[in-house]
Amino acid sequence: MYKHYRNPSETQLIRDILELYMKYGYLQSNFLYALLGDKVGQKYIVRKQYALREKYGLIFRPREQFNCENSHYAFFIHGLTERGKALAKELGVNPPIVANITRRDPDESRGEFTETDVETRNFWHAMGIINTLASIEIGAKKHGIGFISEGEIRQRFQQKHNRDIDFDVPFEAIHNGERLTGKRKRDFLFGLTYEDGLSSFFLGENERDNPVDNPDLSRDGSSWLGKDIAYRDIIKKKAYQDHLGVPNLKILVTTKSKNKSYHQMELSKKNGGASYFLFKEIPDQKSTGKSPIPFTEILTEPWQRAGYEPIALYSKPL
């Protein structure tokens, strides 16, 4: 079992590494390096990762990461084993989570990646969420913006209301005489606090690799049109205030395809447009041909909006 280093700085580095794995669930090594900042050199951290994995059994590499065309070039993805989680808690490392990514058996390389998803493609869907959030947090630190994780939002809600948060926000709407009802499940949730102390909050939809868009109205809101209508109802009724405990909300829609993003935006525009829908293409984490790097431009580059001028996340409260 891992023991404390005599050098306090060594022990602190291990705590920092464990904390980041606890926060994100899984991290690609070069995203880990960027989140750690300039504390130590990258080669030094690589050696520490090797020891944590091979000597102490505190982290592991999920097998799904090797099922992609850039697996020979990508930095390894690691997550905490049960032993690693136990040590983190023993060291008092229990940070608010950033990404709600779970796995039934974290030590089983062929186990299910999430509670309901079993296919390898869902591993890369999850890594798209993780890398998006990590890139935003890295960019926020660079620009002096506060990053509010989903876990922090949850803690604030619990302290204020003395009950747990309900992330599944209900909606009920009528579209062309047809009733649409259900609950929207988020892919991710976070906030940004700007220099003036004001905060903006964002709920994210990380779109999968299915066909470009589905113009049909799905009663459960699974088509993009259904999602568009559902979020319009949630924003109009400000249901996010009661269910998420946030004062405002924008919907971020990320996809790996410009074509899909364009068609979704056009569909929202035909449905009346909305300033609170923000669309952006992100790098494909599975098939880049080289190791993905943090895409902090996601914070500084403009996001497209349906019927409104593009806007960047970092520039001012939205």
Side-chain angles (χ1 to χ4, degrees), residues 23 96-98 147-154 189-191:
K23 283 177 63 176
I97 65 168
V98 173
F147 178 81
I148 308 169
S149 69
E150 176 179 303
E152 291 174 278
I153 294 172
R154 184 175 197 165
L189 177 69
F190 71 95

Side-chain angles (χ1 to χ4, degrees), residues 9-47:
S9 63
E10 291 267 318
T11 301
Q12 185 59 50
L13 175 62
I14 299 303
R15 287 173 60 92
D16 292 342
I17 292 174
L18 294 180
E19 179 177 356
L20 285 170
Y21 284 130
M22 287 284 282
K23 283 177 63 176
Y24 280 92
Y26 294 85
L27 274 174
Q28 205 140 11
S29 294
N30 47 351
F31 284 77
L32 174 69
Y33 307 148
L35 286 164
L36 286 170
D38 299 325
K39 295 180 181 180
V40 290
Q42 182 172 315
K43 291 183 178 179
Y44 183 79
I45 298 174
V46 170
R47 293 198 297 270

Side-chain angles (χ1 to χ4, degrees), residues 1 18 23 83 85 87 118 126 143 149 156 159-160 166 173 178 206 218 229 245 271 296 303:
M1 187 57 142
L18 294 180
K23 283 177 63 176
R83 176 182 290 186
K85 293 177 182 177
L87 176 64
V118 295
H143 292 280
S149 69
R156 294 179 184 184
Q159 292 169 0
K160 182 177 180 179
D166 184 0
E178 194 169 355
N206 183 36
S218 172
I229 295 168
N271 206 24
T296 56
W303 288 63

Side-chain angles (χ1 to χ4, degrees), residues 91-285:
L91 295 175
V93 177
N94 189 26
I97 65 168
V98 173
N100 185 36
I101 305 298
T102 58
R103 187 180 184 132
R104 284 186 176 176
D105 186 352
D107 291 321
E108 175 53 55
S109 61
R110 291 188 180 274
E112 294 182 343
F113 184 73
T114 69
E115 293 296 333
T116 57
D117 297 335
V118 295
E119 300 177 25
T120 299
R121 69 184 179 88
N122 294 315
F123 174 83
W124 293 106
H125 177 256
M127 289 310 302
I129 295 170
I130 291 169
N131 288 354
T132 296
L133 290 167
S135 295
I136 290 172
E137 182 175 5
I138 293 164
K141 288 180 179 178
K142 180 179 179 181
H143 292 280
I145 299 172
F147 178 81
I148 308 169
S149 69
E150 176 179 303
E152 291 174 278
I153 294 172
R154 184 175 197 165
Q155 287 179 350
R156 294 179 184 184
F157 187 93
Q158 291 171 332
Q159 292 169 0
K160 182 177 180 179
H161 299 282
N162 198 28
R163 60 182 173 87
D164 201 5
I165 195 170
D166 184 0
F167 286 110
D168 299 339
V169 185
F171 61 90
E172 183 175 354
I174 303 295
H175 180 74
N176 292 338
E178 194 169 355
R179 185 170 178 264
L180 182 68
T181 184
K183 292 185 176 183
R184 284 305 319 146
K185 297 179 181 291
R186 86 285 182 209
D187 279 333
F188 55 88
L189 177 69
F190 71 95
L192 295 174
T193 300
Y194 301 89
E195 291 182 354
D196 58 6
L198 297 177
S199 298
S200 293
F201 293 87
F202 307 91
L203 186 150
E205 287 278 354
N206 183 36
E207 293 293 283
R208 299 177 187 267
D209 294 333
N210 23 0
V212 172
D213 73 312
N214 181 4
D216 297 326
L217 179 61
S218 172
R219 292 181 182 275
D220 63 0
S222 60
S223 69
W224 175 247
L225 177 57
K227 292 177 182 179
D228 177 283
I229 295 168
Y231 283 126
R232 288 176 187 275
D233 181 70
I234 289 169
I235 298 295
K236 179 181 178 180
K237 295 176 180 175
K238 298 185 178 181
Y240 53 84
Q241 294 182 349
D242 290 335
H243 286 266
L244 303 178
V246 297
N248 56 71
L249 192 67
K250 299 293 185 293
I251 311 302
L252 303 185
V253 186
T254 58
T255 177
K256 297 183 288 292
S257 166
K258 280 186 178 180
N259 188 37
K260 182 170 184 176
S261 183
Y262 171 79
H263 280 276
Q264 288 177 325
M265 189 166 59
E266 286 298 303
L267 189 60
S268 292
K269 191 181 295 184
K270 289 178 183 178
N271 206 24
S275 62
Y276 45 79
F277 283 128
L278 285 76
F279 300 85
K280 194 164 187 60
E281 178 190 13
I282 64 170
D284 187 346
Q285 305 306 298

